[in-house]
Amino acid sequence: MWSEDFSISKFAIPGVSVLIAFLAYTSQYFFLHFEPVPLKKDETWKINIFALCIWICYYRTCFVDPGRLPKAEQRPKPTELEGAALAGRQRWCRRCEAYKPPRAHHCKTCKRCIPKMDHHCPWTSNCVSHFTLPHFMRFLFYATVGMSYLETLLWQRASFVWKNSHLPSYLGPTLGQLIHLFILLVVNTLTVFGLFVLLLRSLWSIGCNTTTIETWEIERHATLVRRARVLGGYLEGPGGIRVQIKKQEYPYDIGIWANIKQSMGGSSNVISWFWPLAATPDRRSGWEFETNDFEDPGVSWPPPDPDRIPIPARLPSNINMPTYATIQDEIDAFNRRKQEDMKRFQRTQGLQRRKPFHDRFKKDDHAQSDSEESETDSGGDSGEGEESWRNAEGERLRDFGVDEEAEFYDEEDIPLGVLIQRRKQQQSTNRTLSNENHLNH
């Protein structure tokens, strides 16, 4: 099995570039030497304009930075986060040692949290994200339209050859030309078909304002809701924790026009959506997103999942925070807790956290149908626990480039030192407000 250094992604950009060049330029060479049906001047212009747009959009899709968390001094402090985040669940990325913003995921290839990560595309060796999605959509559009136009030109020549196949061979194209035409037709037809399907799927996604990863999460949530109905609305989490599972609406679908506008960089100028040199979305955006308010403000996405909550996200209100005699004592305590957290995290890597649902739940005949359904839901890698769950297309999170260990083991696992800092800041804010109220009275 090839290592990552020798994976297909290393040859993706050169391979795609060769494919574009082969279809765009060797086809013109063929047309120029195919005397029975010569290439018209306007057809030559159209082919080259489409090729130029494809090159520009593909280059930007590959090499525009997909985004990264702001520098440490620019990261929002806990007290500056929106109220929904403070009231509900929060996500912490141990890899980046920072809060994980909404819709962000840690890419195992880029080695960082990517804003509104859709997937890591092997054919561009880059993440499709909040900042690169507009370029990716333009590339798909121009590649599909340009190759469809080329397809019509190729079929015109192929049709001419077929109609005149009864003539002597010396009156028609040479054997080399026939082979060239056949290869162009096969390669272009397969490529345009695959791109057309991908374009349709991507258009559906931006119309609903969902990423590929979020589509996976929606299907996963539907599976958990079905399971929870059998068990009275609760599923068992790590350490015997009972997690309540309720049907939750997807929060980022804000209407088809607003969805497309947000996905294409926030601009309402339709012409800019198709302009290959359109600006990349503002780098200050991508960390907060408008919601449809179908759920309460404290409800966050993705929904609760027993296998994505290693420890409770919030400390119980009746637990007193420890006090320390000196700052150094507090630092030492924080370092000890950090080491313990790292040891626990390393122990969980590669280990089976829990048996799959269909192995855990065999209580009575009433649940038998759900158990059979869950065998399909959990996928084939049952020995790896629920992390191996696959959607209807057989995909896991890692298939989209997500760091599964960070996604399953880090979510809501906020270090104690950060929780202590947040509690102190909250207490300081409360004291300030109390003093101001006292002075006003």
Side-chain angles (χ1 to χ4, degrees):
M1 187 174 181
W2 286 5
S3 64
E4 184 177 351
D5 292 336
F6 296 96
S7 64
I8 191 174
S9 62
K10 298 294 180 180
F11 306 98
I13 296 178
V16 173
S17 300
V18 169
L19 177 62
I20 296 173
F22 172 75
L23 292 175
Y25 303 119
T26 70
S27 61
Q28 295 184 63
Y29 176 84
F30 168 80
F31 293 145
L32 289 174
H33 293 80
F34 191 77
E35 296 180 0
V37 187
L39 194 65
K40 300 177 182 177
K41 188 173 182 180
D42 63 316
E43 293 175 338
T44 303
W45 275 105
K46 291 177 182 177
I47 293 176
N48 285 284
I49 289 174
F50 279 130
L52 179 61
C53 292
I54 292 171
W55 281 121
I56 294 173
C57 295
Y58 184 65
Y59 175 84
R60 303 187 78 187
T61 302
C62 294
F63 297 107
V64 167
D65 193 322
R68 61 185 69 239
L69 286 171
K71 295 180 180 179
E73 61 270 14
Q74 297 176 343
R75 293 174 187 168
K77 298 179 181 179
T79 53
E80 295 173 350
L81 295 174
E82 64 271 18
L86 289 174
R89 301 159 53 241
Q90 294 183 20
R91 305 161 68 208
W92 176 267
C93 181
R94 189 184 302 275
R95 299 282 201 267
C96 299
E97 296 186 350
Y99 287 94
K100 187 185 295 183
R103 311 186 78 178
H105 299 274
H106 194 94
C107 177
K108 63 184 178 183
T109 304
C110 299
K111 308 296 183 184
R112 62 180 186 266
C113 283
I114 303 297
K116 194 184 176 183
M117 178 178 174
D118 187 280
H119 67 285
H120 187 92
C121 180
W123 301 109
T124 63
S125 295
N126 198 11
C127 271
V128 178
S129 70
H130 173 74
F131 299 108
T132 59
L133 178 62
H135 305 310
F136 182 72
M137 292 301 302
R138 282 188 281 268
F139 166 69
L140 289 181
F141 172 78
Y142 282 111
T144 302
V145 174
M147 292 181 183
S148 296
Y149 179 68
L150 178 61
E151 188 81 356
T152 62
L153 299 180
L154 291 172
W155 276 108
Q156 288 177 5
R157 276 70 183 178
S159 176
F160 176 85
V161 171
W162 179 259
K163 290 180 179 178
N164 296 276
S165 59
H166 62 282
L167 297 177
S169 59
Y170 64 86
L171 294 178
T174 64
L175 178 61
Q177 288 180 321
L178 290 176
I179 294 175
H180 191 184
L181 175 61
F182 177 77
I183 295 175
L184 284 170
L185 268 174
V186 172
V187 174
N188 193 73
T189 301
L190 293 177
T191 304
V192 77
F193 176 77
L195 288 173
F196 179 70
V197 173
L198 183 57
L199 177 62
L200 289 182
R201 182 170 180 173
S202 300
L203 289 174
W204 178 85
S205 294
I206 67 173
C208 300
N209 203 5
T210 58
T211 64
T212 305
I213 295 172
E214 287 166 347
T215 302
W216 185 94
E217 292 172 340
I218 292 171
E219 190 172 341
R220 167 71 171 168
H221 178 56
T223 300
L224 293 177
V225 170
R226 290 197 303 269
R227 295 175 177 179
R229 286 173 184 164
V230 181
L231 298 175
Y234 288 84
L235 293 178
E236 178 187 345
I241 300 175
R242 284 169 54 82
V243 180
Q244 185 178 16
I245 305 295
K246 299 189 297 183
K247 180 173 172 45
Q248 185 173 321
E249 296 295 332
Y250 179 70
Y252 300 115
D253 187 355
I254 54 178
I256 185 169
W257 172 256
N259 291 340
I260 297 175
K261 176 182 173 182
Q262 182 189 102
S263 299
M264 297 305 293
S267 173
S268 57
N269 185 354
V270 179
I271 296 178
S272 69
W273 297 353
F274 297 92
W275 179 236
L277 299 176
T280 299
D282 192 333
R283 291 291 173 177
R284 293 172 295 181
S285 63
W287 307 108
E288 294 182 1
F289 296 92
E290 182 182 354
T291 58
N292 51 31
D293 297 327
F294 289 163
E295 300 287 350
D296 295 332
V299 177
S300 59
W301 187 271
D305 186 331
D307 287 281
R308 299 174 77 168
I309 306 178
I311 60 175
R314 293 181 294 168
L315 290 176
S317 58
N318 60 348
I319 293 181
N320 295 323
M321 299 300 295
T323 57
Y324 302 95
T326 64
I327 295 178
Q328 187 60 42
D329 291 341
E330 182 175 352
I331 294 175
D332 293 339
F334 171 76
N335 290 331
R336 286 195 299 270
R337 176 53 189 261
K338 184 177 180 180
Q339 292 175 357
E340 293 173 359
D341 286 350
M342 185 57 65
K343 290 179 180 178
R344 177 174 58 81
F345 173 70
Q346 291 173 349
R347 285 196 302 269
T348 58
Q349 291 189 16
L351 299 179
Q352 177 178 334
R353 296 182 62 201
R354 290 191 297 149
K355 293 181 180 179
F357 177 79
H358 62 277
D359 288 338
R360 299 197 311 268
F361 180 58
K362 294 180 180 178
K363 289 190 175 181
D364 51 42
D365 295 337
H366 175 71
Q368 186 64 29
S369 60
D370 186 81
S371 177
E372 293 174 356
E373 177 187 28
S374 302
E375 290 193 27
T376 303
D377 292 336
S378 63
D381 299 332
S382 59
E384 301 179 38
E386 293 292 348
E387 296 90 329
S388 66
W389 183 86
R390 299 175 184 271
N391 63 7
E393 298 180 5
E395 297 164 325
R396 291 173 54 168
L397 274 179
R398 69 182 182 186
D399 296 327
F400 309 127
V402 175
D403 187 337
E404 280 189 336
E405 292 175 354
E407 193 72 16
F408 282 103
Y409 295 114
D410 290 349
E411 185 162 324
E412 303 185 26
D413 193 8
I414 303 178
L416 178 60
V418 177
L419 292 174
I420 293 174
Q421 181 184 16
R422 182 175 66 180
R423 178 63 62 86
K424 286 185 176 181
Q425 290 175 335
Q426 186 175 1
Q427 291 175 347
S428 176
T429 301
N430 292 337
R431 284 196 298 268
T432 302
L433 293 175
S434 177
N435 293 335
E436 290 178 354
N437 293 334
H438 180 73
L439 293 175
N440 291 334
H441 288 297

